[in-house]
Each structure stands twice: as structure tokens, then as C-alpha cells.
Amino acid sequence: MEIRAIRGFNDILPDEIRKWQFVEKTAREVFEGFGFSEIRIPIVERTELFARSIGESTDIVEKEMYTFTDRSGNSLTLRPEATASMARAYLEHQLYNIDRVAKLYCIGPMFRYERPQKGRYRQFYQIDAEVFGVDHPMVDAEVMLMLLHFLRRVGLENLELQINTLGCRNCRPRYRDELKKFFERKSFQLCEDCQRRLQTNPLRIFDCKVETCQASIANAPKVIDFIDRECSDHFRKVKEYLEESEVPYVLNPRMVRGLDYYTRTAFEVVSYHLGSQNAVTGGGRYDNLFQDIGGLDIPGIGFAIGMERLISLLPKGRSFDQPPLLFIAALGESACKRAYQLVNRLHIEGIRAELDYEGKSLKSQMRRADKLKADYVLILGEEELQRGRAILRNMKTKFQEEIPLADVTDILKGKMVCTRPKD
Ligand code: HAM
């Protein structure tokens, strides 16, 4: 039986990968410009790291982690997100000794055992950016500004930045109590999972997809009505900084995010072109996460962009193809040998060139050059070869000229500058 990929795990094929490379390259450029540095963290971590940060009663930890026991009996998990691992690395390597403020980004695959559908996979990629060590509202706004600037740079339009505040550990208990009272009155409407959530973590009822639970959420109390003075001041300042830097946002008082580590600012970027999985990015502040994983009292804020969702929103008109600049059509054995030397020289010079390996007719080689969308074809016949020359044909204009073989590299380098604008 033919072996196929696992459900929810995708191949990213060569005709798609150019888009990914373009997005990743732009992310690096933009983030580095904002003072961020890349960090690479392991794909596997101790299960406890995620349980303690994301939260035991979240869907991610309860139902969606790829957890296994290794040969030494350790419980390990394929990372469902990157924030906790980045915080662990910052603590483990005492990056705060270099500078308390660390601006880090990371790009890579995450794993969640969710029900696969459009925009939701079991292996998916995130571009993640985090700022550790500052709790000033200016940073909250700066991070959102960078995010929107990046999304615009890659060509995404009609996005909406939604923000909310989730309060902190001082004001949350009061909200929790109120929420519990509210849902207890409606408990007959709640699904079995939510009945349990009502006891363990009523905030998680907001994540439920069941229709009757959704209906009961509609009139639930809002966090913003329960936050303390400091959290309220923080949120007011975040909004002021966003307005100051002309970042448009809308308030979404129902957004609670699906991970327990959030405090104060929470945000999402949504697109109405994405269907039900409409969040391209989720993020927020997490001022207790470092302590929860056994570290120092360090605040943090960041976001993660879902790559697959972002890629699906890229403007359709733009071509990401990279056809060869040159196809060498060689006729006869000595011309073939010469073509082989030439193509290698061109590759070393960084010029995309192709040749025919099978000694086909000129007509069939021209057909292949056309199919590969080569900009030029170099026709190398025995007779031209003896004179040290070849014919260069522009495939668009059909213009042909005879050129000295010794000049091929220089001529093509010149053409490359004219025909290949940089991103
Ligand atoms: P999240 O909301 O769980 O947050 O995920 C962030 C983004 O990853 C989502 O908005 C979505 O675009 C994408 N995503 C999530 N799950 C899937 C999936 N199964 N398939 C495809 N795309 C998916 C976090 O992961 C936090 N760590 C974000 C963060 C960083 N908060 C602070 N810093």
C-alpha cells in the first residue's frame, strides 16, 4: 500500500515554497529592523513546561498536545506554541544578564491535535515575536505596530486588529467569581465539558464551540468591568500609544484568548476572508508566565502569526515563480560538453540556468525552454562552437543575436540586472 502523509500534516511543494520564503524573508527584515534577533528552540520540550504556562484546563493542554514518554520515562511534548519555550530559553541561558530587555523572534512548526479543516492543521507554522523584560504600555503598542507593518509589507489588506484587556492576577479572581455565578445560573445550557470548566476555569467556557454554550456566552460579564485601577490605566495608555502611532484597532471585550498565561493586553488580527478560522495572529501580555515556569518576575508580550492562514491571504496577482534565466540548447556531443562546462560556471556565478541532458532535437529543447519559462535560450551548435560563438535568443521578443562564448556570463549578468527586479 502506498504510504501517504498523516492527516493534518502538509507538504509544502516547490511552487508554494516561494511564497513562504518571501514571507519569512520579509519577517526577518522587518523584525530585525525593529531590533529583534532570531532564536531557535527545540521542537520537543518537557510536557510540564506547557502544562504550567498554557494552563492545565485549556483545550491545548487537555486535548491537543502530542505527548509521549521517551525511552527514559520522561513525558515529552511536541511544542504546541513557541512562547513558553522562548521564555524557558531566556531563563535557562540567563539572557537577562546581557540585557533584561530581550526582543526575540522564531519561525517554525507547531503541533496540535485539532480537527483538521481549512486553516486548521495538526502541524502548522508560526512566526512568533516576543519582548521580555518590559511591562510599559508603549511596548504593547510597539509590538502591534510592528505586526501590522509586517502584515501590510507582505501585501495583506482588510485586516482588523482587535484588542482587549484581561486584567491581572489581582483583579481576575473577582471576575472569575462573577463569571462562575453567571454560568451557574445557565448551567443547564452548558455542554459536559463546560460543566467541568465551570468548576475548574470558567473563563475557558468562552473557547467552547458548542452552539448552546455560545448562546449562553452572549450576555456574560466582561473582564473590562472588573479590572483594577492599574490594569485600567495600562489599557488606557496602550490605546493612547496605538492612536499616537496611527494604528487602527477595534475593542473586542469578548476576546479572552485560548491560553491561560495572558494578563492585561490581549489582541488578535482577523481577516473576514478566512472563514471560520479567521485569526491570522494572536498575541498578548503574560506578566506571570516566567514565574509560573519557575523563573524570575519578568514581564513579556508577543504574538504568533499563523503562516498557512497568512499565505492564503497573499494577493493573488503576484508571481513567485523563479524560472531559469537561461536554457542552453546544445546540439551534438562536443556542444553538449561545452554546455555542461558553461552551465556549471553560470551556477557558480548564481545565474539560474538549465540544459538538456538527453541529446534531444532543437525543437524539443526549445519546447522545454518554453515550458520552464526561461527568459533566454543559448543555442550551441557545432558550427558556432568552432567559431567560439553561440546564438542567444530572447524568448519574449524572439530577437536573436550571435555572441562570443567567452562573454556569455557577463552578458547574462547584465540581463539579470535588467530582467530580475529584486523583491
Ligand atoms: P494562538 O492564538 O494559539 O496563540 O495561535 C496563534 C496563531 O497561530 C493563530 O491566530 C492562527 O493563525 C495560528 N494557528 C493556531 N492553531 C493553528 C492550527 N491548528 N492550524 C493553523 N494555524 C493555527 C499562540 O500560539 C500564542 N503563543 C501567541 C503568543 C505569542 N502570545 C504571546 N506571544
Side-chain angles (χ1 to χ4, degrees), residues 107-224:
I107 303 176
M110 309 296 152
F111 304 85
R112 293 184 196 173
Y113 191 80
E114 292 194 83
R115 197 169 59 79
Q117 54 179 278
K118 188 171 173 287
R120 192 198 274 168
Y121 310 103
R122 289 182 172 171
Q123 175 175 328
F124 59 97
Y125 286 73
Q126 285 186 342
I127 301 181
D128 189 304
E130 311 288 347
V131 181
F132 298 152
V134 223
D135 63 3
H136 198 287
M138 200 192 287
V139 179
D140 303 35
E142 190 189 341
V143 160
M144 288 185 255
L145 170 89
M146 176 175 88
L147 167 65
L148 288 185
H149 171 63
F150 163 70
L151 294 173
R152 264 188 233 120
R153 267 275 307 266
V154 293
L156 265 54
E157 282 168 3
N158 301 322
L159 299 173
E160 187 172 279
L161 170 67
Q162 301 184 345
I163 65 168
N164 193 20
T165 179
L166 300 179
C168 65
R169 295 223 167 140
N170 295 329
C171 43
R172 193 86 58 80
R174 209 158 67 84
Y175 176 59
R176 241 178 102 120
D177 289 348
E178 207 57 39
L179 210 54
K180 195 159 179 235
K181 274 191 234 152
F182 171 84
F183 283 121
E184 267 164 359
R185 287 197 296 273
K186 306 203 158 223
S187 72
F188 61 93
Q189 263 182 287
L190 300 178
C191 70
E192 215 173 285
D193 271 353
C194 284
Q195 301 275 355
R196 192 171 33 79
R197 288 174 180 136
L198 185 54
Q199 303 311 321
T200 54
N201 189 353
L203 207 71
R204 296 276 64 98
I205 296 176
F206 283 93
D207 306 334
C208 189
K209 310 281 182 305
V210 176
E211 225 170 273
T212 49
C213 299
Q214 278 296 321
S216 69
I217 290 163
N219 299 314
K222 300 177 187 134
V223 199
I224 195 143

Side-chain angles (χ1 to χ4, degrees), residues 60 64 80-84 110-112 114-115 117 119-126 128-130 257-259 261-262 267-269 274 277-286 301-310:
I60 298 180
E64 296 170 1
E81 59 113 51
T83 313
M110 309 296 152
F111 304 85
R112 293 184 196 173
E114 292 194 83
R115 197 169 59 79
Q117 54 179 278
R120 192 198 274 168
Y121 310 103
R122 289 182 172 171
Q123 175 175 328
F124 59 97
Y125 286 73
Q126 285 186 342
D128 189 304
E130 311 288 347
R257 309 274 302 123
L259 302 92
Y261 53 56
Y262 291 114
F267 57 95
E268 284 185 354
V269 175
L274 278 175
Q277 305 301 316
N278 69 354
V280 195
T281 307
R285 177 163 281 292
Y286 41 87
I301 181 162
F303 60 78
I305 304 165
M307 271 290 263
E308 289 80 358
R309 295 183 195 178
L310 187 164

